[in-house]
Amino acid sequence: MVAFSETPQLWGLATAQLWRRFRRRLRMGPLFRWRFTGFTPERVLIAPQDLRPADPQLAEEFYHGRFALAGRVVETGGRSPFIVEPPNAAWQAALHNFGWLRHMRASGTELATANARALLSDWIATHGRSIGGPAWAPEVTAQRIIAWLQHSSLILAGADLRAYRQFMRSLATQVRYLRTMAAVMDDGEEKLRARIALAFAALALPVSSNTARSARRNLEFELIHQILPDGGHISRNPLTVLELLADLLPLRQTYASGTEAPPKALMEAIERMLPALRFFRHHDGNLALFNGVGATMPERVIAVLRHDDIGGLPLTHALHSGYERLSMDSTTIIADTGLAPPVTASRDAHAGCLSFEMSSGRNRYIVNAGVDRYGPEEFRPLARSTAAHSTATINDTSSCRFSATSGLSTMIGTPIIAGPTKVNVERIERPGAAGFVANHNGYVRPFGIYHERQIVLSHNGSVIEGIDSFFAAGRNPLRGTGRENVVIRFHLHPAVNVSVDDNGLIILQVDNDDIWMFSATVQPFIEDSLFFAGFRGPVKTRQITLSLSAAQLPEVEWQFTRTSLGAYG
């Protein structure tokens, strides 16, 4: 249910969205359509690099009519993939954005090249002459422009004159269309990517000096607006940092290959974002599961970090992004200590304040549930809830509230409309130990309760000491009202084996690696859980839970201790 005080905010969002939609429709109407036609460039001056990993085997699958995209496989039965019924919107977008051209190029065979050209010609015939629909969504068009430019040599080398001109004409139309639509796109990653695509086009295609300056200026504006001083993105989604770097690094290289110096904002953004990407990375190469991150291919992270000229250790304190990192020997802890993103950038954000993840060596032990990016939509609210994170919930309520009004969700999505308005964070630094203490007021409005969490990593990374505290305003004790039922959750990675020893200690182990033992000042329980971020979709896992009444027990201590297999045996 949406509180009355939040209704004006929702209607404000809806009104802004309606205005953007009106402006988009207006720009696709007859008053603006003339902007989509014009000069056809003769050639692509430079083909930007594609940093995303490719799988040559997929090119073979595409040739046989099996299109594995966005977690779904569609067999076309000899028909064009552009006329078959898509299984979902994500598959449809992945088909029309042409990111799969990298697999064709990686194959390196004449068959894959011919198939890529045939599919591109097929798209132009079925969708290229009529602007509109999902194929021409501005965010999809931006990705398609980047892909066509990056793999233009695959398409154009050896192409006949008719196909060559057809490609260049369609590419120019898409660039002019995106140039018209970018200004009325929603704030966030997709708008920034549109500006990146237009900057690529201004470098790779012959354009006027005014067009080039405009592309550069608009790119700088979005970078300054969206990339935080510590290198994070305004969405607070670590995966967004990776995705944007995969486009920004080739853009930097494309500028360097030409006669124009890269924009200062571009260089500075990349310099901040690379350490931020390291900040969110566990030792196994995966990104921490916060605010919309699902299964991550470590190869994708490696492909981007390979271009990090500075290297070095990651940050320990991402103040602007709202995260803390503790690292000692082979143990790493990453924690969410920030406010929700701005409402316009919170459509995928989670209610995970004060949650944390812990990895030891190349194994993740404590995780958040993450998201299944291509799975059923009904899982998304579960994955975004506080209970899907390794932190405390009060009365099974999330610390943030999402817009769930059915009439508005189709228009504005489900952004965060209420939650913590203040998070206090202090670092703990002492000889042989590092940690933090943080509290938030996300539960003050519904229950009058503050939640505070302290985590300290010590003994060369072998001991993690935590304290969860609950109190009223002014740090006063809580009065028992029956509304202080707390559950503290520690979600386990599916690879972790969990058991209880003769002394009541909970034992965590992955294969034959080191053992972690868990204890707490209240009785811990082992319960079932779901891990949404599996590569093949959600999988069952376990969680450690601590249940208590915050009024009767306002402070709970817990501890993870690492020991070797030999020492425990």
Side-chain angles (χ1 to χ4, degrees):
M1 180 172 294
V2 178
F4 180 78
S5 61
E6 293 158 3
T7 302
Q9 182 183 27
L10 285 178
W11 283 112
L13 288 171
T15 301
Q17 185 63 266
L18 283 172
W19 175 239
R20 279 193 291 268
R21 288 186 179 184
F22 171 76
R23 293 172 67 193
R24 283 198 288 266
R25 278 197 294 268
L26 184 66
R27 289 175 179 240
M28 291 185 67
L31 291 177
F32 284 83
R33 287 245 171 191
W34 63 271
R35 294 188 178 188
F36 305 158
T37 60
F39 169 74
T40 299
E42 294 186 358
R43 63 192 179 96
V44 175
L45 301 176
I46 185 171
Q49 186 181 8
D50 188 348
L51 295 185
R52 293 177 172 88
D55 183 357
Q57 183 60 38
L58 287 178
E60 179 75 14
E61 294 294 312
F62 292 168
Y63 177 76
H64 291 289
R66 292 188 291 271
F67 287 79
L69 301 167
R72 296 292 184 90
V73 178
V74 171
E75 297 201 24
T76 62
R79 295 177 297 162
S80 165
F82 301 111
I83 63 173
V84 301
E85 184 69 23
N88 57 30
W91 186 93
Q92 187 177 34
L95 176 68
H96 288 288
N97 70 26
F98 277 77
W100 43 264
L101 281 176
R102 68 178 63 94
H103 308 307
M104 305 294 212
R105 185 171 186 171
S107 176
T109 65
E110 293 184 8
L111 190 63
T113 300
N115 193 30
R117 292 174 180 168
L119 288 169
L120 188 141
S121 179
D122 195 14
W123 183 89
I124 293 175
T126 56
H127 293 85
R129 297 184 177 92
S130 179
I131 298 176
W136 283 86
E139 62 275 13
V140 175
T141 303
Q143 292 172 315
R144 185 168 57 246
I145 289 171
I146 294 173
W148 280 24
L149 289 172
Q150 288 176 327
H151 303 287
S152 56
S153 59
L154 174 74
I155 303 300
L156 298 179
D160 60 48
L161 181 60
R162 178 179 175 276
Y164 195 106
R165 295 289 294 171
Q166 186 184 55
F167 172 86
M168 297 303 300
R169 188 181 303 112
S170 179
L171 178 60
T173 299
Q174 293 175 58
V175 170
R176 285 190 287 266
Y177 163 78
L178 186 62
R179 196 177 293 145
T180 302
M181 302 299 293
V184 292
M185 292 178 67
D186 296 341
D187 289 338
E189 175 189 0
E190 293 171 345
K191 187 172 185 177
L192 177 51
R193 182 164 289 105
R195 294 305 185 187
I196 294 171
L198 292 172
F200 271 126
L203 295 169
L205 301 175
V207 297
S208 67
S209 57
N210 285 339
T211 298
R213 282 196 298 270
S214 178
R216 183 187 182 101
R217 183 174 61 251
N218 290 326
L219 172 67
E220 289 190 295
F221 176 85
E222 288 301 328
L223 287 171
I224 293 171
H225 172 61
Q226 294 196 34
I227 306 305
L228 300 171
D230 56 24
H233 185 256
I234 57 171
S235 66
R236 302 191 64 233
N237 184 335
L239 184 61
T240 300
V241 177
L242 172 64
E243 294 291 352
L244 289 173
L245 277 171
D247 291 323
L248 291 172
L249 286 166
L251 181 59
R252 180 183 68 175
Q253 185 181 30
T254 305
Y255 270 107
S257 300
T259 58
E260 189 177 353
K264 180 181 178 182
L266 171 63
M267 300 297 289
E268 291 179 346
I270 291 174
E271 289 175 359
R272 299 196 307 272
M273 293 171 75
L274 285 167
L277 183 60
R278 291 185 181 276
F279 177 99
F280 292 117
R281 188 187 185 207
H282 286 290
H283 285 295
D284 66 353
N286 287 282
L287 297 180
L289 302 173
F290 295 104
N291 287 304
V293 178
T296 309
M297 290 177 57
E299 295 82 1
R300 297 186 64 189
V301 183
I302 293 171
V304 167
L305 290 178
R306 192 175 289 126
H307 294 262
D308 185 359
D309 299 328
I310 299 175
L313 296 174
L315 303 171
T316 59
H317 179 52
L319 173 64
H320 298 88
S321 295
Y323 292 96
E324 296 289 328
R325 180 184 175 100
L326 308 174
S327 188
M328 193 173 292
D329 192 42
S330 62
T331 303
T332 296
I333 294 171
I334 306 172
D336 181 345
T337 56
L339 299 174
V343 66
T344 55
S346 68
R347 289 180 176 87
D348 295 318
H350 290 198
C353 192
L354 302 194
S355 65
F356 78 101
E357 295 198 332
M358 184 270 283
S359 60
S360 177
R362 297 189 61 82
N363 299 314
R364 285 180 290 167
Y365 284 81
I366 307 302
V367 295
N368 296 315
V371 297
D372 179 13
R373 294 200 302 274
Y374 306 122
E377 287 293 326
E378 55 264 29
F379 284 161
R380 297 296 178 89
L382 295 174
R384 298 176 72 188
S385 69
T386 302
H389 296 75
S390 292
T391 186
T393 59
I394 299 178
N395 286 341
D396 291 327
T397 303
S398 288
S399 59
C400 292
R401 286 169 290 288
F402 308 95
S403 168
T405 307
S406 57
L408 294 178
S409 61
T410 55
M411 187 185 306
I412 65 173
T414 53
I416 291 177
I417 57 174
T421 59
K422 189 173 184 180
V423 180
N424 301 300
V425 187
E426 291 183 15
R427 290 287 295 192
I428 298 172
E429 300 288 349
R430 55 177 185 254
F436 68 88
V437 57
N439 61 63
H440 75 81
N441 64 351
Y443 287 118
V444 170
R445 183 174 175 181
F447 306 117
I449 299 175
Y450 289 84
H451 174 210
E452 181 172 272
R453 167 165 279 181
Q454 175 179 299
I455 299 179
V456 176
L457 179 63
S458 62
H459 293 78
N460 202 30
S462 294
V463 176
I464 303 168
E465 297 171 290
I467 302 175
D468 282 296
S469 304
F470 307 91
F471 50 85
R475 302 193 75 89
N476 291 315
L478 296 170
R479 295 180 180 179
T481 64
R483 292 162 55 85
E484 315 85 15
N485 295 319
V486 173
V487 178
I488 303 171
R489 293 177 171 87
F490 304 88
H491 293 276
L492 305 178
H493 189 273
V496 174
N497 299 307
V498 57
S499 60
V500 181
D501 72 0
D502 296 337
N503 298 316
L505 293 174
I506 293 180
I507 308 302
L508 309 178
Q509 186 178 7
V510 180
D511 297 328
N512 289 320
D513 289 347
D514 290 341
I515 291 173
W516 284 88
M517 298 180 292
F518 176 84
S519 61
T521 53
V522 300
Q523 176 67 44
F525 295 93
I526 301 172
E527 300 180 0
D528 291 333
S529 181
L530 276 176
F531 183 71
F532 292 109
F535 276 105
R536 297 182 180 179
V539 295
K540 292 181 179 180
T541 186
R542 310 301 295 277
Q543 61 178 321
I544 302 171
T545 62
L546 307 175
S547 299
L548 57 125
S549 167
Q552 298 176 6
L553 188 65
E555 183 174 287
V556 181
E557 298 180 16
W558 46 266
Q559 181 171 299
F560 290 91
T561 306
R562 179 176 59 191
T563 184
S564 65
L565 181 63
Y568 185 76

